[in-house]
Amino acid sequence: MPRLVMKFGGTSVANVDRIRNVARHVAREVAAGYEVAVVVSAMSGKTNELVAWVKDANPLYDAAEYDTVVASGEQVTSGLLAIALNKDGIKARSWQGWQIPIHTSEAHGSARIEGIDPKNLDEGFKRGEVAVIAGFQGVHAETGRIATLGRGGSDTSAVAIAAAIGAERCDIYTDVDGVYTTDPRVVPKAQRMERVTFEEMLEMASLGAKVLQVRSVELAMVHRVPTTVRSSFDPPDAARPGTLICDEDQIVEQQIITGIAFSKDEAQITLRAVKDSPGIAAAIFGPLADANINVDMIIQTVSGDQSTTDMTFTVPAADYERSRAILDAQRETIQFGQIEGATDVVKVSAIGVGMRSHAGVAAKAFRALAQKGINIRAITTSEIKFSVLIDAAYTELAVRTLHSLYGLDQA
């Protein structure tokens, strides 16, 4: 029998009534002839509540005990869904990450999946059971301790399990009915895409789209697991197909630009009058890397006499103050004149595999933004995307301008 993994997020299992609705979605796929594994998140808001309890008990908490507490949210949901399925006459049992087992690294709170042994799940399928799996968690083989995968980790759990059991596809159920060309709250004319490539979805997820967690898309791409984003709020007997994330060769007609993403989690730092000498970039970015601060856009402008340079780059907004403090501490080593910064900036990106075979795609955008009076602070490009850093006040105007420019209003 073909196998299918279904993942349901926190809003989809927010209460018992919604869990009953999830059971009906699962029943539809069982009736269609699939062996089904269901991965569930904690009920909406429960993880935040558990985290707050941990911090209240001790702000300097032990990371392993933190994982023990926060992993319990998914345990509750998996048990409740198994009970609901059994009530509807469908054989089901719940599984915690350590019972399967899902082996992870020991990085509590942000562990990575290192391997999954599907033997126990295979035995359950032979018994005709639906496997209801607690997402977001696994076990470290050496210590035997529960380890969680970080926020959004249930998506990663689902894709990894789909790869391990050889599933036909992985369906991610959420509160939207697919992946849109941009955020519909910003552009009402945004269109739901029928298909999008793994590469495009990975760029969109990393550049601000909140539909899927980045690591889950990486896993889907590496293991070539077709993944569909669907709505759990559709009637179970009339569910829409959603958006399929797949290989490029499965998309017959490819647009130049597939989607527009934006991220408000950006801050800009500029170092003025930096001595222009070998090793200066390492002196700037090395300490930031040691502090696990991700640097994104980088622009270097050399002075006329080529003795000094201005270095501009972006960091996550949450790391802005820490980054400035680290650089100030390195002032004598780096030998810069002054440090400037801004947090009222936004990164807007256009993504599309069609850019590989078309010239002038980014230049077209730069002209359109200039005509709207939008100043570009920084630019980065890659094979299938370009990003611009602009003032936050122009976010909606820039997104709408690019969305219309590339014909996505009628996609």
Side-chain angles (χ1 to χ4, degrees):
M1 293 176 67
R3 291 178 174 177
L4 173 67
V5 173
M6 307 171 73
K7 182 266 175 178
F8 292 89
T11 55
S12 302
V13 293
N15 53 50
V16 174
D17 280 341
R18 290 189 180 179
I19 289 173
R20 291 192 186 101
N21 181 64
V22 166
R24 289 191 287 272
H25 279 281
V26 175
R28 180 191 67 239
E29 302 298 353
V30 170
Y34 284 102
E35 292 179 338
V36 179
V38 188
V39 177
V40 291
S41 298
M43 292 178 171
S44 181
K46 289 299 179 183
T47 300
N48 288 339
E49 183 179 26
L50 293 168
V51 170
W53 287 352
V54 170
K55 292 180 177 179
D56 187 32
N58 183 2
L60 301 176
Y61 53 79
D62 177 81
E65 301 301 346
Y66 167 93
D67 276 357
T68 300
V69 175
V70 298
S72 66
E74 283 74 14
Q75 179 174 332
V76 170
T77 312
S78 62
L80 288 173
L81 179 55
I83 290 169
L85 286 166
N86 289 330
K87 183 175 183 292
D88 290 344
I90 297 171
K91 291 178 66 176
R93 70 149 287 181
S94 62
W95 294 89
Q96 310 314 307
W98 61 269
Q99 293 174 313
I100 292 175
I102 298 172
H103 292 126
T104 72
S105 64
E106 199 181 1
H108 289 284
S110 58
R112 300 187 77 87
I113 295 175
E114 296 182 342
I116 298 176
D117 184 349
K119 182 177 66 176
N120 287 330
L121 295 179
D122 289 340
E123 291 299 321
F125 290 140
K126 289 177 183 177
R127 295 190 296 268
E129 294 173 352
V130 170
V132 185
I133 302 166
F136 172 64
Q137 62 185 262
V139 61
H140 184 250
E142 293 181 14
T143 64
R145 299 299 302 267
I146 293 171
T148 63
L149 309 179
R151 287 306 179 95
S154 291
D155 286 352
T156 304
S157 300
V159 174
I161 289 165
I165 67 173
E168 182 179 286
R169 69 177 193 274
C170 177
D171 288 350
I172 306 289
Y173 284 81
T174 180
D175 53 1
V176 295
D177 63 344
V179 181
Y180 279 71
T181 48
T182 194
D183 189 336
R185 293 169 296 184
V186 174
V187 182
K189 292 182 179 180
Q191 304 290 312
R192 182 184 61 81
M193 294 179 279
E194 291 186 7
R195 298 188 175 209
V196 62
T197 68
F198 290 120
E199 291 86 351
E200 289 169 329
M201 192 66 239
L202 184 59
E203 291 284 8
M204 292 175 73
S206 64
L207 293 169
K210 305 296 185 184
V211 179
L212 287 176
Q213 198 246 18
V214 174
R215 273 195 290 166
S216 69
V217 184
E218 289 175 345
L219 274 176
M221 184 166 65
V222 168
H223 296 285
R224 289 297 185 255
V225 177
T227 303
T228 304
V229 177
R230 308 178 70 174
S231 173
S232 64
F233 298 113
D234 284 347
D237 57 352
R240 289 170 289 181
T243 298
L244 176 65
I245 304 160
C246 57
D247 280 315
E248 186 175 346
D249 59 12
Q250 292 181 260
I251 300 178
V252 177
E253 190 173 333
Q254 187 65 57
Q255 288 188 266
I256 297 174
I257 295 297
T258 299
I260 309 297
F262 61 94
S263 171
K264 297 180 179 180
D265 180 32
E266 305 291 332
Q268 177 183 322
I269 294 176
T270 299
L271 300 180
R272 301 287 187 192
V274 181
K275 185 178 179 181
D276 190 19
S277 60
I280 200 66
I284 294 171
F285 300 118
L288 296 176
D290 291 340
N292 293 317
I293 296 173
N294 292 321
V295 175
D296 185 15
M297 301 172 140
I298 303 174
I299 296 177
Q300 184 174 2
T301 307
V302 180
S303 63
D305 61 6
Q306 298 189 343
S307 62
T308 63
T309 181
D310 290 345
M311 191 78 77
T312 297
F313 53 92
T314 61
V315 297
D319 293 324
Y320 173 68
E321 295 295 344
R322 193 158 60 100
S323 299
R324 289 195 59 149
I326 290 170
L327 293 169
D328 272 328
Q330 298 291 322
R331 183 182 288 266
E332 291 187 10
T333 303
I334 301 172
Q335 297 181 31
F336 60 86
Q338 65 187 78
I339 183 170
E340 300 173 0
T343 55
D344 57 340
V345 293
V346 167
K347 179 170 63 179
V348 179
S349 307
I351 303 102
V353 294
M355 291 176 65
R356 290 177 180 148
S357 56
H358 290 77
V361 177
K364 184 179 178 181
F366 303 154
R367 285 194 296 270
L369 293 175
Q371 289 169 1
K372 297 291 185 180
I374 300 173
N375 183 50
I376 298 174
R377 290 170 169 256
I379 301 168
T380 58
T381 63
S382 73
E383 190 179 30
I384 66 166
K385 65 94 175 172
F386 68 84
S387 300
V388 294
L389 191 71
I390 63 172
D391 293 341
Y394 294 98
T395 303
E396 293 191 6
L397 178 60
V399 171
R400 289 172 180 167
T401 297
L402 297 183
H403 197 267
S404 297
L405 180 69
Y406 295 114
L408 298 179
D409 291 353
Q410 295 83 34

